[in-house]
Amino acid sequence: MPRYEYRNLHPEAEKSFLAWIDHLDKEFGNPNVDHRSMVVRDALHQIYLGRPYTPEDENEDYDNASVTSQLSARALSHSFDPRNATLEPEYYGDVDPERYQPRKPLIWFWMMFDRSPLGLNHWLGYRLRYMIASHVLKHLGKNVKLFHGIEVSFGYNLTIEDNCTIHKYVLLDDRGELIIHEGSSISDYANVYSHSHDLNDAMIIANHKTEIGPRARITYHATVLSGVTVGEHGIVGSMGVATKDVPPYNVVAGIPAKTVKVKTIAPEKQGTGYRELGIGEGD
């Protein structure tokens, strides 16, 4: 597990958090879909209801309760089990069921954890998400910090290298291949895509490789479209939409995003899009 500099917690709380993560990590090491689903069901039952799951929970008669309350309680109990939950990527025509299905219970747990009170506890959340991501992603580097509300598509096409930070409510669409290179940062509410729709028939999908970095930044509410490469030290400004490759060290902004400046640390001669073309601070 990566180490993060954060304030000290009460020793008993820290011990409990780490023991829980370690327990889940070992359970999720078993890729069997039914096993993972039952582990997730039981954990969510504890998180949301504060008591162990029992089979009777899904068939219990509630004395002096309305029919609506009984049905709602049963629906909630059923929904903790990933086998009873449906997620959008399951219905994509390009999904690989053999790779997605073992990941689906963990993705469901990731989403539901983030929507619980525990998901807003940063110290716990960073570590739990990192553990889950290690079982879900194609590759996960060291010292990766994952905030709450992140959504991935398949997981198995997503690579996040060392020392990256993915902030809250980011969409990482890995229907095609998505690689976030070392030291990159993606800010709140940003969207990074690796699939596109045909202009005339939206049901026709094309997947591409999308790459971010190394040491690039996608800032607040920005969008990177499918197939785009944001080069080393590149920045996509707030609300910008990158429709084509962002050259290294370039800062782009707007819709569609265009170069507004080049970082002062950029090498003097790097080819098209760099300072030798006269693009620089204040341009």
Side-chain angles (χ1 to χ4, degrees):
M1 293 291 292
R3 296 181 64 86
Y4 304 110
E5 296 298 328
Y6 229 71
R7 73 173 181 83
N8 294 327
L9 302 181
H10 187 284
E12 286 302 314
E14 181 174 330
K15 181 179 178 181
S16 295
F17 292 156
L18 294 177
W20 184 49
I21 294 171
D22 184 61
H23 168 74
L24 291 174
D25 187 25
K26 292 176 181 176
E27 293 290 348
F28 292 156
N30 182 343
N32 179 271
V33 175
D34 288 332
H35 176 79
R36 286 182 169 182
S37 294
M38 288 186 288
V39 172
V40 169
R41 176 201 63 194
D42 295 350
L44 291 178
H45 210 276
Q46 291 277 15
I47 290 172
Y48 279 91
L49 300 181
R51 56 186 174 88
Y53 165 83
T54 62
E56 289 74 21
D57 286 313
E58 296 176 357
N59 299 289
E60 184 176 353
D61 290 325
Y62 293 86
D63 295 334
N64 300 318
S66 68
V67 172
T68 299
S69 296
Q70 294 179 42
L71 295 176
S72 298
R74 290 172 181 170
L76 176 63
S77 184
H78 282 302
S79 293
F80 290 146
D81 191 329
R83 293 168 294 188
N84 299 324
T86 56
L87 299 178
E88 183 178 350
E90 292 180 89
Y91 299 96
Y92 293 161
D94 53 338
V95 69
D96 182 341
E98 289 188 6
R99 288 194 287 174
Y100 182 74
Q101 286 305 314
R103 288 169 166 83
K104 178 195 167 184
L106 308 190
I107 293 172
W108 180 243
F109 182 64
W110 188 341
M111 295 169 65
M112 292 293 286
F113 169 80
D114 278 357
R115 287 160 174 78
S116 75
L118 294 180
L120 298 180
N121 182 336
H122 285 205
W123 193 101
L124 171 61
Y126 294 153
R127 290 162 172 78
L128 187 89
R129 293 183 203 101
Y130 185 91
M131 179 275 291
I132 298 173
S134 70
H135 295 284
V136 170
L137 306 191
K138 180 178 182 180
H139 172 76
L140 180 67
K142 298 178 181 179
N143 195 36
V144 173
K145 186 176 287 187
L146 302 169
F147 283 72
H148 63 271
I150 298 167
E151 293 199 19
V152 304
S153 294
F154 298 154
Y156 55 75
N157 287 329
L158 175 58
T159 292
I160 304 178
E161 295 181 349
D162 296 350
N163 302 312
C164 290
T165 300
I166 314 299
H167 290 271
K168 61 180 181 289
Y169 300 115
V170 167
L171 171 62
L172 300 176
D173 162 53
D174 67 314
R175 291 180 68 171
E177 186 171 10
L178 175 55
I179 303 174
I180 304 171
H181 290 289
E182 189 270 333
S184 295
S185 173
I186 302 181
S187 298
D188 308 12
Y189 299 97
N191 302 295
V192 183
Y193 292 95
S194 64
H195 83 279
S196 61
H197 295 262
D198 182 78
L199 177 64
N200 298 306
D201 186 348
M203 296 301 292
I204 299 176
I205 302 295
N207 291 328
H208 311 93
K209 179 189 287 187
T210 303
E211 297 189 62
I212 309 297
R215 291 171 292 282
R217 287 174 55 205
I218 312 303
T219 64
Y220 306 99
H221 295 271
T223 297
V224 177
L225 295 186
S226 180
V228 168
T229 293
V230 179
E232 182 177 10
H233 278 286
I235 296 179
V236 181
S238 180
M239 303 291 290
V241 179
T243 61
K244 60 182 180 180
D245 290 353
V246 177
Y249 297 94
N250 277 229
V251 180
V252 302
I255 307 174
K258 299 179 180 179
T259 296
V260 295
K261 63 177 65 177
V262 174
K263 287 184 175 182
T264 57
I265 62 172
E268 290 293 336
K269 294 183 179 181
Q270 294 285 342
T272 302
Y274 286 76
R275 284 192 286 171
E276 69 173 12
L277 298 181
I279 302 172
E281 292 290 341
D283 292 339

